[in-house]
Amino acid sequence: MLLLSLPRGRADLDGCACSELPLEIIERVLSFLPVHDLCRFRSVCKEWRELLCKPSFHDLCEVNGKDDRYLFVTRDLDCDGWSVVDPVFRRTVSFLDLHDERWYAIEVGESLGGFDEDFLETQLSAMDNGLLCEMSTLRGSDDDLALTISDPVANTRMTLPAPPEIFCLGAYLPLILPSVDIVTRSYKVFLVNNPREHSRDLTRVHVYETFSNEWRGLSNPAKEFEELIAGSAVILQDVLYIVFRDIARWQFVLLSYKMQEDVWTEVRRIICPRKPRHPQLVVRGHRLFMNLWSGGTSSLLEDLSLFEMIEIMPSDNSSKTVVQLTFAQLQQMFSEQDSDFYIAYGVPRFNSKGSYSSVILMSSLSGKLITFDLTSRTVGTIPANPFIQGPSLETYPYCDMYRAKNMNLSLRNLLSYDSVASG
């Protein structure tokens, strides 16, 4: 286990045997290594640092690196429906290497504004391919909010232009979803507002695009969906997928939106259990998955008794089950008996043939991670995050809820002008 603090100095190793190798060989070998190792290697010597900062080397890493290698983990503190991102997790950005099952962390530098004097609390955070997007309350104001985008690996941050509308009244916060395009070396940020009183004619979804440095509104879903509550969203192959909760019909509805065609499509509906938890969308290996709870029957009066992970095939909107586990089985696996326990995140692992081999599951209450082998039905434990202590209950007397997302990391600084302009 290694605490990853980005190196600021250098340590020349003129006697290193690698110095005798052609630079092209060194470059190719290094391109297969994970980002956390490459960050440390920037301090080996001046030549390596220059090599590791070259855009051409970043291109090679994106070809040779493993997809969705890391699991970004954070924690929300919740009190009576009002949540903030735990400040401990803002100081230290934590990642789990899913291949090696080892933890790494980046201590957020002052230049990132981890506790910028302008910001009071962070209500939302989301991450994609190394970019961290946060929505924070401005100090001295109960209503003014700022959206920032940062790259912890490159130690850079910028404040985005103010979006036209952010709905934060009531119990339902908006969704924010950063999306990195490694081909164009650019990114988008989606803002999905949830409805409030007198908001029917306002735009639900906005997108910030780097090429214009502006927000633009997307078309709203059909009228029948205007009162639905958005709970989870992902991007897959330039298609936006959002799961909405239809309170009136006791259903969850999965919609897709094709930006090029400006078309919303209903993908599927799911019956809500009596204690509904929003289904969660996951993209892994360029495939779409959904984690959901059900009562195990079609009855609306059932509790959360069955956890299911399914894969959704966008070509025909069909699905197949990856794993099903009862609430009692999961409590035994995690050794947690609290009735509020649920799975905060689940992601499949693939074998060399592209078939499911196991799944990684995370507890919402403790952040504990386990592996579940789909063939042997055995449970393995992943080491606990060594960099994060418990929340300060004197300052934040809230209950805590963990969140996660699997993704890649990159040495490429997408927030730099040169990186965006080159796309």
Side-chain angles (χ1 to χ4, degrees), residues 111-237:
S111 62
L112 271 186
F115 289 90
D116 194 299
E117 62 181 9
D118 291 335
F119 300 123
L120 180 60
E121 291 179 324
T122 296
Q123 274 73 51
L124 295 171
S125 67
M127 204 162 192
D128 183 60
N129 277 42
L131 287 188
L132 176 64
C133 186
E134 296 178 308
M135 187 184 79
S136 303
T137 305
L138 292 176
R139 190 173 296 278
S141 171
D142 293 332
D143 300 320
D144 291 337
L145 297 164
L147 280 170
T148 60
I149 191 87
S150 61
D151 185 338
V153 173
N155 202 37
T156 54
R157 192 194 74 173
M158 63 178 286
T159 300
L160 298 178
E165 300 147 341
I166 302 182
F167 305 163
C168 284
L169 297 178
Y172 299 107
L173 291 171
L175 292 181
I176 52 174
L177 175 67
S179 176
V180 173
D181 187 332
I182 62 173
V183 175
T184 62
R185 302 175 190 174
S186 63
Y187 64 90
K188 297 181 177 71
V189 177
F190 292 87
L191 173 68
V192 184
N193 282 308
N194 278 315
R196 65 178 183 183
E197 189 177 2
H198 309 305
S199 67
R200 294 191 175 192
D201 296 329
L202 300 179
T203 303
R204 291 286 302 272
V205 185
H206 297 268
V207 59
Y208 167 83
E209 296 167 307
T210 52
F211 72 85
S212 65
N213 192 34
E214 293 179 348
W215 292 88
R216 65 181 178 92
L218 306 182
S219 65
N220 284 336
K223 284 289 185 180
E224 64 177 297
F225 302 121
E226 64 184 5
E227 295 297 323
L228 274 58
I229 306 300
S232 179
V234 296
I235 292 285
L236 176 63
Q237 299 174 347

Side-chain angles (χ1 to χ4, degrees), residues 65-71 96-99 128-129 282-287 347-348 350 405-409:
K66 295 181 179 179
D67 285 336
D68 305 328
R69 182 184 183 110
Y70 299 95
L71 188 70
L96 173 70
D97 186 320
L98 293 175
H99 297 274
D128 183 60
N129 277 42
V282 176
V283 173
R284 173 76 162 161
H286 307 291
R287 295 156 71 173
V347 61
F350 304 121
K405 181 180 180 180
N406 69 286
M407 62 182 182
N408 294 325
L409 291 178

Side-chain angles (χ1 to χ4, degrees), residues 280-296:
Q280 186 179 65
L281 297 172
V282 176
V283 173
R284 173 76 162 161
H286 307 291
R287 295 156 71 173
L288 179 63
F289 297 86
M290 180 187 290
N291 299 321
L292 57 108
W293 288 93
S294 69

